[in-house]
Amino acid sequence: MKNKLSVAVLGATGSVGQKFVELLSSHPWFQISEVAASDRSVGKPYAEATNWNMASPLDSKIAKLTVKKCEPNLDSKIIFSGLDAKVAGEIESEFANSGYTVISNARNHRFDKNVPLVIPEVNPEHLALIHQQEWSGAIITNPNCSTIGLTLALKPIFDNFGIESLNVVTMQAISGGGYPGIPSMDILDNVVPFIGGEEVKLEMEPKKILGEIRENEIKYAEFKISAQCNRVPVLDGHLECVQLKLKNKVTPEEVKRVLREFKGLPQKLKLPTAPENPIIYFEEDNYPQPRIHRNLGRGMSVSIGRLRKDSLFDIKFVVLSHNTIRGAAGGTILIAELLKEQGFLGN
Amino acid sequence: MKNKLSVAVLGATGSVGQKFVELLSSHPWFQISEVAASDRSVGKPYAEATNWNMASPLDSKIAKLTVKKCEPNLDSKIIFSGLDAKVAGEIESEFANSGYTVISNARNHRFDKNVPLVIPEVNPEHLALIHQQEWSGAIITNPNCSTIGLTLALKPIFDNFGIESLNVVTMQAISGGGYPGIPSMDILDNVVPFIGGEEVKLEMEPKKILGEIRENEIKYAEFKISAQCNRVPVLDGHLECVQLKLKNKVTPEEVKRVLREFKGLPQKLKLPTAPENPIIYFEEDNYPQPRIHRNLGRGMSVSIGRLRKDSLFDIKFVVLSHNTIRGAAGGTILIAELLKEQGFLGN
Amino acid sequence: MKNKLSVAVLGATGSVGQKFVELLSSHPWFQISEVAASDRSVGKPYAEATNWNMASPLDSKIAKLTVKKCEPNLDSKIIFSGLDAKVAGEIESEFANSGYTVISNARNHRFDKNVPLVIPEVNPEHLALIHQQEWSGAIITNPNCSTIGLTLALKPIFDNFGIESLNVVTMQAISGGGYPGIPSMDILDNVVPFIGGEEVKLEMEPKKILGEIRENEIKYAEFKISAQCNRVPVLDGHLECVQLKLKNKVTPEEVKRVLREFKGLPQKLKLPTAPENPIIYFEEDNYPQPRIHRNLGRGMSVSIGRLRKDSLFDIKFVVLSHNTIRGAAGGTILIAELLKEQGFLGN
Amino acid sequence: MKNKLSVAVLGATGSVGQKFVELLSSHPWFQISEVAASDRSVGKPYAEATNWNMASPLDSKIAKLTVKKCEPNLDSKIIFSGLDAKVAGEIESEFANSGYTVISNARNHRFDKNVPLVIPEVNPEHLALIHQQEWSGAIITNPNCSTIGLTLALKPIFDNFGIESLNVVTMQAISGGGYPGIPSMDILDNVVPFIGGEEVKLEMEPKKILGEIRENEIKYAEFKISAQCNRVPVLDGHLECVQLKLKNKVTPEEVKRVLREFKGLPQKLKLPTAPENPIIYFEEDNYPQPRIHRNLGRGMSVSIGRLRKDSLFDIKFVVLSHNTIRGAAGGTILIAELLKEQGFLGN
């Protein structure tokens, strides 16, 4: 325990915050020393302040931590932010200004000029932008849950064959909306063909993530994206129907091969949260499926299937990822591991 | 009752068959005089032979009908076929050969040269093909459930602005697979990104339906279609995300206008099953939704929403239709009404 | 329209309030002239103030009504209250004090000494208590949604054979909690074996409803009740497993007979909302089921099945009722119809 | 690997069979050397013969095993039977006659005079009956899925306070019906208040399991049981509402104490599949819940909550157990471990 790095979780009582607590409670490198949340919770033991609804029982030590304010006087210098977007922007800036390293799941700083928007397997080199940030600390952001699985799937295709345009239709899990999220009366025996703000994120984020650093700036990848987002009655796991026009015309088999062979830096570094296979390709006609495959690689692997020729684009396929693990808390923790391994968290 | 036309239902114990029975039991023009099904059911009272699972109670007169064989010695000359595709092809041919008029929901004869594939609001003029059929009777087919709502939505756009290409991703209800259909263990908290044979149907049928009769033949509409089909945990109502490249560039508002104003021949003829509005357009961001809108127009209206510009195609929107009413039994009954009104069922 | 009675709905934007609006929008006797709700909605057109989520479209006239305050200066003298229990107690008293006749779905006044708790088929004679109320107006209450179906089922058994004790385990629909009610993340693929306050209501209300008026007071029925309440992922329809110890030992067939033959005063008076059969008994092993039977009698019939001997009590059976129609708004409207027919609403 | 005991699975392609394969694929004592199934599957590789739908991927070695006939010429002498009740009776007898030790999840032999019906924590001493079996081999049975969780909960209460009568209403998961089980169209947005044969099992099995061996015979426990069984739209986890009349009147707190303190022989022997805590008691009002608690103790712990006084019986509470792990394959494997530890499987 001694050598673990102390970390704090902001927004610890919310849905993403709880997932941080669950995933970090037995982490080999990090140890949650502080939890912070809104005024309503401050001063209470975490167990009492939170309406714990994770599958695993709440860690007994974390349960007893007293909830602190989300103010930059915490002892831990490494901050996981699960704050709601309504307040995340300002609070995270305050922490960064005060020397803290903030790894955030909120959308607010994702498009700040020098803030990396990172999927560790995809664009680890973007972390170099941190050196240009004007804060004494730093902010690093995790993409939106529907972006991450998709962009991970795009990476080997983008690198090997080039992408001209991308069309995506999502079927997203209810946990993507946080807790309490969508009322049961709105989603049982139903699909809602709209998720506020989601399509815009999905049409922008992949371009930054797949961008290239030139002259200390990210040059966004240049391809068009069209996204349509739907909410479906599934607990966890975002499924996305993807169509791609490629720069280099290749067979589906060639695309499958680069997907199957893909490994990223986290795999090379053997980061604790990195799945052995970031991408798992299925040949079965009816795979991947959210309930069956969302937990592969402890929720960190992305599952792909049905890759075939498309008459309007070049190829089409289905991609699945666990939205609260790979797509939120797990992805953020993997960023923190990468930061540590690359010396951004001190020695 | 005297003046009603006697009709028979083939495959009466199955899912589509039951829906025929439910919808026809109080029909103003047609009266079910005979029900026929597979050998397992022959000779039993219908109520006993069928595992009735419609929402309305089984009509007491039909309940007592003795199930007959699916052989062309029935008294009724008008046949509604809810037969399974495994046997429909041959049986329907036998009936047509023996002088019966078969209106079928099965896929087998849909692409026969002289067999009309009809949505009454879209291509009533295709019924003229019947005169060229070589059977002494006739076969008229109803399209696939995922085709009907979509093609009805396409019709006013196709006529007014022309279509260059069509991309569609469906989220289809479990009742689309008939009974028993997909096991609950496979779909609860899940999505299955595959429906056997569905994508092919959806990529072919709209072209025949929107085709033009020239020199006594249907010239298929010429535009490319790409379809991806998913099964979602929704009871009834297929929701489809549609993207269109148009021949004439127009604003979303112009497209909405032609959708809203659309009426077809069934509306003009005031056919009993025709909804007042074949298309209902919603301005709400998050509409249409299967559970809320599937029963509009007693399940015969198609709901559309979210029509907006698309960066890859020209426009995109969401369309919903009730798959077992408009998309199956109801659609077939509307064809029968049109046939009668146009003199194809004798006087 | 001229001769319809003007009525107002309190709490009109909530779940019960919307159901009142839906059911009353085409009522032959009553016409909604005013809608009232909390300050947040006051002054807005009803269509804008409410997040309409009923299955039928909002009536266009009611849509335009301006939402008023819940204060006793409304023009309509007949008030349907769908107020939340947090505020219903006081507001309803104010209205009654000011001469209004309040028919309420809230729990607050249900156990007031002179306030009738009414199921029109069960205890219409309790309306006589109104004469003893000290308000210039009146308050009449509708029981809890899980009480109504059960107590209607008990009525013919209680009258014919006497009840010594009652055991009930409920499986209640999510709509029973109002909107937004239970978050989808809490109930998808789940059962929650607890509904706050529900068991207490279910253990008390049937005794008052089945009580007898003696010397101008209700003498509560004397039998013990034990209730266990569960929330299940069903949209509408509360299903209850019931066990009864009877005073007179009779066969299951005799009990079924009195259930089947039961008719109440609303049936005799042919009240508009009264179902032809208040109780429908099914012989099928696996009936009644919420999705299949909840809408029988337009949601006002109670379905019963599986009545058989019990080794611990005398008989056991399953009862189903539509919780937002018979169990809430529909039940309240039926009370209003009874009030009118019996002269309580003036001439 | 060398020292592991070879075992065979009968009915290996079915739902229970697959669960055996999943749970045994990394078992420290047992190794699946043979899989057997119906003629349809015989001769095929297991991966091809089975429609694998477990959450974990199929073990690659077992995937390659050729499916054998369910005939007593297998090499492994220890047989796990996941056979369907239609064929299990005879086949299991044949194996027992031929010297095999059959541990069965099927109902057929459960009430044979000398066949133990075992929950290892509850009645391990019943295994002694094996010595009186007339087969050269042996048959040991696992109770029904709805019986196991309940009877485990009853054990400490029965031993400490005595039981006079038991009332139980179940809400059972869809996986309890095997695969394909209940069609999705029958259970989505629904509850089915009937499970064929289930109530009878639940009213008989606990009495044998809690029976006492006297003069080499099981004297059944003497208390009355009434059961009502419902199917709910939950994937895994049977929830049961239980009421008990006790011989010794005690407070709820005393009952909770014996539940919390309960440990059985498997815990003392530290059997590999035994959970550390066979019973977990929750104080939260709304616990246990199927989705949250079914996997506790890797699916082998039984969760209990809401224990309180009851007005008709003495106490009531809610019990949850994982029906395909503790209630089927996992429970059977625990029996096998107990058999081995007690010398019934040779040395």
Side-chain angles (χ1 to χ4, degrees):
Chain A
M1 264 311 214
K2 279 178 217 158
N3 298 321
K4 287 193 187 180
L5 284 172
S6 274
V7 303
V9 176
L10 303 187
T13 57
S15 196
V16 176
Q18 289 189 19
K19 203 76 190 175
F20 277 133
V21 170
E22 186 185 37
L23 296 178
L24 288 171
S25 62
S26 59
H27 196 279
W29 296 357
F30 303 123
Q31 173 185 348
I32 296 182
S33 306
E34 291 160 293
V35 289
S38 65
D39 290 351
R40 201 168 36 79
S41 301
V42 171
K44 296 183 190 165
Y46 180 67
E48 187 188 311
T50 196
N51 176 18
W52 185 255
N53 61 5
M54 299 290 111
S56 11
L58 173 54
D59 177 87
S60 60
K61 278 185 195 150
I62 300 176
K64 289 172 199 150
L65 292 178
T66 300
V67 178
K68 300 189 172 178
K69 286 199 176 187
C70 290
E71 293 178 353
N73 54 7
L74 302 180
D75 298 326
S76 318
K77 291 302 168 195
I78 304 165
I79 306 291
F80 288 92
S81 166
L83 289 168
D84 192 276
K86 281 177 209 148
V87 299
E90 201 168 335
I91 294 178
E92 292 174 4
S93 296
E94 286 168 17
F95 273 88
N97 254 330
S98 308
Y100 294 83
T101 298
V102 180
I103 311 153
S104 171
N105 196 58
R107 70 161 186 268
N108 309 61
H109 292 284
R110 284 182 192 156
F111 286 90
D112 285 8
K113 199 183 163 195
N114 288 322
V115 169
L117 180 62
V118 178
I119 302 171
E121 281 90 346
V122 177
N123 60 339
E125 71 280 7
H126 287 199
L127 292 181
L129 288 177
I130 293 172
H131 298 303
Q132 300 173 58
Q133 292 185 356
E134 296 179 352
W135 299 299
S136 58
I139 296 179
I140 303 96
T141 57
N142 189 43
N144 185 47
C145 54
S146 60
T147 301
I148 296 184
L150 172 63
T151 310
L152 196 42
L154 296 181
K155 171 67 173 172
I157 303 175
F158 181 81
D159 283 355
N160 283 281
F161 314 118
I163 292 175
E164 280 196 357
S165 63
L166 159 63
N167 196 54
V168 57
V169 177
T170 70
M171 289 163 282
Q172 302 186 218
I174 54 177
S175 61
Y179 188 87
I182 189 165
S184 51
M185 288 171 71
D186 286 345
I187 197 66
L188 185 70
D189 181 20
N190 205 14
V191 172
V192 178
F194 179 71
I195 302 174
E198 194 80 1
E199 296 175 353
V200 172
K201 292 179 203 164
L202 203 41
E203 293 182 350
M204 289 176 59
E205 295 182 2
K207 299 184 197 176
K208 177 167 182 178
I209 300 166
L210 291 170
E212 200 181 335
I213 296 196
R214 286 203 306 264
E215 298 167 19
N216 296 324
E217 262 188 40
I218 298 181
K219 307 297 172 189
Y220 284 26
E222 286 182 354
F223 56 86
K224 279 190 186 164
I225 305 177
S226 171
Q228 296 170 82
C229 296
N230 301 282
R231 187 74 74 198
V232 293
V234 163
L235 196 70
D236 292 313
H238 289 353
L239 196 69
E240 312 189 16
C241 290
V242 180
Q243 291 163 294
L244 291 177
K245 195 175 264 303
L246 304 176
K247 288 199 175 150
N248 304 319
K249 303 309 172 186
V250 291
T251 65
E253 287 311 316
E254 288 173 284
V255 180
K256 288 183 198 175
R257 187 181 48 78
V258 304
L259 289 171
R260 282 205 180 93
E261 292 176 356
F262 177 70
K263 302 269 175 178
L265 186 54
Q267 282 70 41
K268 281 168 207 142
L269 298 176
K270 293 187 191 297
L271 298 180
T273 299
E276 195 185 324
N277 298 299
I279 292 174
I280 297 174
Y281 187 84
F282 288 96
E283 285 292 348
E284 286 86 348
D285 260 353
N286 57 347
Y287 279 7
Q289 294 177 15
R291 206 193 55 235
I292 302 185
H293 303 114
R294 61 192 172 203
N295 288 317
L296 290 178
R298 282 164 302 136
M300 291 296 288
S301 291
V302 166
S303 297
I304 306 182
R306 301 207 71 209
L307 197 146
R308 56 211 193 280
K309 278 197 182 173
D310 183 54
S311 61
L312 296 178
F313 295 78
D314 290 316
I315 55 166
K316 54 186 167 188
F317 58 88
V318 175
V319 58
L320 169 80
S321 63
H322 195 302
N323 54 299
T324 69
I325 301 180
R326 170 56 87 165
T332 313
I333 293 171
L334 188 61
I335 294 174
E337 293 169 2
L338 182 62
L339 284 168
K340 175 170 170 11
E341 195 66 18
Q342 304 217 315
F344 286 93
L345 302 183
N347 310 303
Chain B
M1 265 312 215
K2 282 176 214 159
N3 298 321
K4 287 193 187 179
L5 285 172
S6 275
V7 303
V9 176
L10 303 186
T13 58
S15 195
V16 175
Q18 288 189 19
K19 203 76 191 176
F20 276 132
V21 170
E22 185 185 38
L23 296 179
L24 288 172
S25 62
S26 60
H27 196 278
W29 296 356
F30 304 122
Q31 172 184 349
I32 295 182
S33 305
E34 291 160 292
V35 289
S38 65
D39 289 351
R40 200 169 36 80
S41 301
V42 171
K44 296 182 190 165
Y46 180 67
E48 187 187 314
T50 196
N51 176 19
W52 185 256
N53 60 5
M54 298 290 111
S56 12
L58 174 55
D59 176 87
S60 60
K61 277 186 197 151
I62 299 175
K64 288 172 198 151
L65 292 177
T66 300
V67 178
K68 299 189 172 177
K69 287 199 174 185
C70 290
E71 292 178 354
N73 54 8
L74 302 180
D75 297 326
S76 317
K77 290 301 168 194
I78 304 165
I79 305 290
F80 288 91
S81 166
L83 288 169
D84 191 276
K86 280 178 209 148
V87 299
E90 200 166 337
I91 294 177
E92 291 175 2
S93 297
E94 286 168 17
F95 273 86
N97 253 328
S98 307
Y100 294 83
T101 298
V102 180
I103 311 154
S104 172
N105 196 58
R107 70 161 186 268
N108 309 62
H109 291 285
R110 285 181 191 156
F111 286 90
D112 286 9
K113 200 183 163 194
N114 289 321
V115 169
L117 180 62
V118 177
I119 302 171
E121 281 90 345
V122 177
N123 60 338
E125 72 279 9
H126 286 199
L127 291 182
L129 288 176
I130 294 172
H131 298 303
Q132 299 173 59
Q133 291 186 357
E134 295 178 353
W135 300 298
S136 59
I139 296 179
I140 303 96
T141 57
N142 189 43
N144 185 48
C145 54
S146 60
T147 300
I148 296 183
L150 172 63
T151 310
L152 196 41
L154 296 180
K155 172 67 173 172
I157 303 175
F158 182 81
D159 283 355
N160 284 281
F161 313 117
I163 292 176
E164 279 195 357
S165 63
L166 160 63
N167 195 53
V168 57
V169 176
T170 71
M171 289 164 280
Q172 301 186 218
I174 55 177
S175 60
Y179 188 86
I182 189 165
S184 52
M185 289 171 70
D186 285 345
I187 197 67
L188 185 69
D189 181 20
N190 206 14
V191 172
V192 179
F194 178 73
I195 302 175
E198 195 79 0
E199 295 175 354
V200 171
K201 291 179 204 164
L202 203 41
E203 293 181 350
M204 289 176 61
E205 296 182 2
K207 299 183 197 177
K208 177 168 182 178
I209 300 165
L210 292 170
E212 199 180 337
I213 296 196
R214 288 203 304 264
E215 298 166 20
N216 297 323
E217 263 188 40
I218 299 181
K219 307 297 173 188
Y220 284 26
E222 287 182 354
F223 56 86
K224 278 190 185 165
I225 305 177
S226 171
Q228 297 170 81
C229 296
N230 301 282
R231 186 74 75 198
V232 293
V234 163
L235 195 70
D236 291 313
H238 289 353
L239 196 69
E240 312 188 15
C241 289
V242 180
Q243 292 163 294
L244 291 177
K245 195 175 264 303
L246 304 175
K247 289 199 174 151
N248 304 319
K249 303 310 171 187
V250 291
T251 65
E253 288 310 315
E254 288 174 285
V255 181
K256 288 182 196 175
R257 187 181 48 79
V258 303
L259 289 172
R260 282 205 180 94
E261 292 176 357
F262 177 71
K263 303 267 175 179
L265 186 55
Q267 281 72 39
K268 280 167 207 143
L269 298 174
K270 294 187 190 297
L271 299 180
T273 300
E276 195 185 322
N277 298 300
I279 292 175
I280 298 174
Y281 187 84
F282 288 96
E283 285 292 347
E284 287 85 347
D285 260 354
N286 56 347
Y287 279 6
Q289 296 178 13
R291 205 192 56 235
I292 301 184
H293 303 114
R294 61 193 171 204
N295 288 317
L296 290 177
R298 282 163 303 138
M300 290 297 287
S301 291
V302 166
S303 297
I304 305 183
R306 300 208 71 210
L307 197 147
R308 57 209 193 281
K309 279 197 181 173
D310 183 54
S311 60
L312 297 178
F313 296 77
D314 291 315
I315 55 166
K316 54 186 168 188
F317 58 87
V318 174
V319 58
L320 169 79
S321 63
H322 195 301
N323 55 299
T324 70
I325 302 180
R326 170 55 87 165
T332 313
I333 292 169
L334 189 60
I335 294 174
E337 294 169 359
L338 182 62
L339 284 168
K340 175 171 169 10
E341 195 67 18
Q342 303 217 316
F344 286 94
L345 302 183
N347 310 301
Chain C
M1 264 313 214
K2 282 177 216 159
N3 298 320
K4 287 193 187 179
L5 285 173
S6 276
V7 304
V9 176
L10 302 186
T13 57
S15 195
V16 176
Q18 288 190 17
K19 204 75 192 176
F20 276 132
V21 170
E22 185 185 38
L23 297 178
L24 287 172
S25 62
S26 59
H27 196 279
W29 295 356
F30 304 122
Q31 172 185 348
I32 297 183
S33 306
E34 291 161 292
V35 289
S38 65
D39 289 351
R40 199 168 37 79
S41 302
V42 171
K44 297 183 188 164
Y46 180 67
E48 187 189 312
T50 195
N51 176 17
W52 186 256
N53 61 4
M54 299 290 110
S56 12
L58 173 55
D59 177 85
S60 60
K61 278 185 196 151
I62 300 176
K64 289 171 198 153
L65 292 178
T66 300
V67 177
K68 300 189 172 179
K69 286 198 175 187
C70 289
E71 291 177 355
N73 54 6
L74 302 179
D75 297 326
S76 318
K77 291 301 167 194
I78 304 165
I79 306 291
F80 288 92
S81 166
L83 289 169
D84 192 277
K86 280 177 208 146
V87 299
E90 200 167 336
I91 294 177
E92 292 175 4
S93 296
E94 285 168 18
F95 273 88
N97 254 328
S98 307
Y100 294 83
T101 299
V102 180
I103 311 153
S104 172
N105 196 57
R107 69 160 187 268
N108 309 61
H109 291 284
R110 285 183 190 152
F111 286 90
D112 285 9
K113 199 182 165 195
N114 289 322
V115 170
L117 180 63
V118 177
I119 302 170
E121 282 90 345
V122 176
N123 60 337
E125 71 280 7
H126 286 198
L127 292 181
L129 287 176
I130 294 172
H131 299 302
Q132 300 172 57
Q133 293 185 357
E134 296 179 353
W135 298 299
S136 59
I139 295 178
I140 304 94
T141 58
N142 189 43
N144 185 47
C145 54
S146 60
T147 301
I148 295 183
L150 171 63
T151 311
L152 195 42
L154 296 181
K155 173 66 175 173
I157 303 175
F158 182 80
D159 282 355
N160 284 281
F161 313 119
I163 292 175
E164 280 196 356
S165 64
L166 159 64
N167 196 53
V168 57
V169 176
T170 71
M171 288 164 282
Q172 301 185 219
I174 55 177
S175 60
Y179 187 86
I182 189 164
S184 52
M185 289 171 70
D186 285 345
I187 196 69
L188 185 71
D189 181 21
N190 205 14
V191 172
V192 178
F194 178 72
I195 302 175
E198 194 80 0
E199 296 175 353
V200 171
K201 291 178 203 164
L202 204 40
E203 293 181 350
M204 287 176 61
E205 295 182 3
K207 298 183 197 176
K208 177 167 182 180
I209 300 166
L210 292 170
E212 198 180 336
I213 297 196
R214 286 204 305 265
E215 298 165 20
N216 296 324
E217 264 189 38
I218 298 181
K219 308 297 174 190
Y220 284 26
E222 287 182 352
F223 55 87
K224 278 190 187 165
I225 305 177
S226 171
Q228 296 170 83
C229 295
N230 301 281
R231 186 74 75 197
V232 294
V234 163
L235 195 71
D236 292 312
H238 289 354
L239 196 69
E240 313 189 15
C241 289
V242 180
Q243 292 164 293
L244 290 177
K245 195 175 264 303
L246 304 175
K247 289 200 174 150
N248 304 318
K249 303 311 170 186
V250 291
T251 65
E253 289 310 317
E254 287 173 284
V255 180
K256 289 183 199 177
R257 188 180 49 76
V258 302
L259 289 172
R260 281 205 181 94
E261 293 176 356
F262 178 70
K263 302 268 176 179
L265 185 54
Q267 282 71 38
K268 280 168 207 143
L269 299 174
K270 295 188 190 297
L271 299 180
T273 300
E276 196 185 323
N277 298 299
I279 292 175
I280 298 175
Y281 187 85
F282 289 96
E283 285 292 347
E284 287 86 347
D285 260 354
N286 56 347
Y287 278 7
Q289 296 177 14
R291 205 191 57 235
I292 301 185
H293 302 113
R294 61 194 172 200
N295 287 317
L296 290 177
R298 283 165 302 138
M300 292 295 289
S301 291
V302 166
S303 297
I304 306 182
R306 300 207 71 208
L307 197 147
R308 56 212 193 278
K309 279 197 180 174
D310 183 54
S311 60
L312 296 179
F313 294 78
D314 290 316
I315 56 166
K316 53 185 168 189
F317 59 87
V318 174
V319 59
L320 169 80
S321 63
H322 195 301
N323 54 299
T324 70
I325 301 180
R326 171 54 89 166
T332 313
I333 292 169
L334 189 59
I335 294 174
E337 294 169 0
L338 182 62
L339 285 168
K340 176 170 168 14
E341 195 66 19
Q342 304 217 316
F344 285 95
L345 303 182
N347 308 302
Chain D
M1 264 315 214
K2 280 178 217 159
N3 298 321
K4 287 192 187 181
L5 285 172
S6 275
V7 302
V9 175
L10 302 187
T13 58
S15 195
V16 175
Q18 289 190 18
K19 203 78 191 173
F20 276 132
V21 170
E22 186 185 38
L23 296 179
L24 288 172
S25 63
S26 59
H27 196 278
W29 296 356
F30 304 122
Q31 172 185 351
I32 296 183
S33 307
E34 291 159 292
V35 288
S38 66
D39 289 351
R40 202 169 35 80
S41 301
V42 171
K44 297 184 188 164
Y46 179 67
E48 187 188 313
T50 195
N51 176 18
W52 186 256
N53 61 5
M54 299 289 111
S56 11
L58 174 55
D59 177 86
S60 60
K61 278 185 196 151
I62 300 176
K64 289 171 199 151
L65 292 178
T66 300
V67 177
K68 299 189 172 178
K69 287 199 174 186
C70 290
E71 291 178 354
N73 54 8
L74 302 180
D75 296 326
S76 319
K77 291 302 168 194
I78 304 165
I79 306 291
F80 288 91
S81 166
L83 289 168
D84 191 276
K86 281 177 207 147
V87 299
E90 201 167 335
I91 293 177
E92 292 176 2
S93 297
E94 285 168 17
F95 273 87
N97 253 329
S98 308
Y100 295 83
T101 298
V102 180
I103 310 154
S104 171
N105 196 57
R107 70 162 186 268
N108 310 61
H109 292 284
R110 286 182 190 154
F111 287 90
D112 285 9
K113 201 183 163 192
N114 290 322
V115 169
L117 180 63
V118 176
I119 302 171
E121 282 90 346
V122 177
N123 60 337
E125 71 280 7
H126 287 198
L127 292 181
L129 287 177
I130 294 172
H131 299 302
Q132 299 172 60
Q133 292 185 357
E134 294 179 353
W135 298 300
S136 58
I139 295 178
I140 304 95
T141 57
N142 189 43
N144 185 47
C145 54
S146 60
T147 302
I148 295 183
L150 172 63
T151 310
L152 195 42
L154 296 180
K155 173 66 174 175
I157 303 175
F158 182 81
D159 283 355
N160 284 281
F161 314 118
I163 292 174
E164 278 195 358
S165 63
L166 159 64
N167 195 53
V168 58
V169 176
T170 71
M171 289 164 282
Q172 301 185 218
I174 56 178
S175 61
Y179 188 85
I182 188 164
S184 51
M185 289 171 70
D186 285 345
I187 196 68
L188 185 70
D189 181 20
N190 205 14
V191 172
V192 179
F194 178 71
I195 302 175
E198 195 79 1
E199 295 175 351
V200 171
K201 292 178 204 164
L202 203 40
E203 293 181 349
M204 288 175 61
E205 294 182 5
K207 299 183 196 176
K208 177 168 182 177
I209 299 166
L210 292 170
E212 198 181 337
I213 296 195
R214 287 204 304 265
E215 298 167 20
N216 296 324
E217 263 188 40
I218 299 181
K219 308 297 173 188
Y220 284 27
E222 287 182 354
F223 55 87
K224 277 189 188 167
I225 305 177
S226 171
Q228 296 169 82
C229 296
N230 301 282
R231 187 75 74 198
V232 293
V234 163
L235 195 71
D236 292 311
H238 289 353
L239 196 69
E240 313 188 15
C241 290
V242 180
Q243 292 164 292
L244 290 177
K245 196 176 262 303
L246 304 176
K247 289 201 173 149
N248 305 319
K249 304 309 171 186
V250 291
T251 66
E253 289 310 316
E254 288 173 284
V255 180
K256 288 183 197 176
R257 188 181 49 78
V258 303
L259 289 171
R260 282 205 179 92
E261 293 176 356
F262 178 69
K263 303 268 176 180
L265 186 54
Q267 281 71 39
K268 279 167 208 144
L269 297 175
K270 294 185 191 298
L271 298 180
T273 299
E276 195 185 323
N277 298 299
I279 292 174
I280 298 175
Y281 187 85
F282 288 96
E283 285 291 347
E284 285 86 347
D285 260 353
N286 56 347
Y287 278 6
Q289 295 177 14
R291 206 192 57 235
I292 301 184
H293 302 113
R294 61 193 172 203
N295 288 317
L296 290 177
R298 282 164 302 140
M300 292 295 289
S301 291
V302 166
S303 297
I304 306 181
R306 300 207 72 209
L307 197 147
R308 56 212 192 279
K309 279 197 182 174
D310 183 55
S311 60
L312 297 178
F313 295 79
D314 291 316
I315 55 167
K316 54 185 167 189
F317 58 88
V318 175
V319 59
L320 169 80
S321 63
H322 196 300
N323 54 298
T324 70
I325 302 180
R326 170 56 87 165
T332 314
I333 292 170
L334 189 60
I335 295 174
E337 293 169 0
L338 182 63
L339 284 167
K340 177 171 168 10
E341 195 66 19
Q342 304 217 316
F344 285 94
L345 302 183
N347 309 303

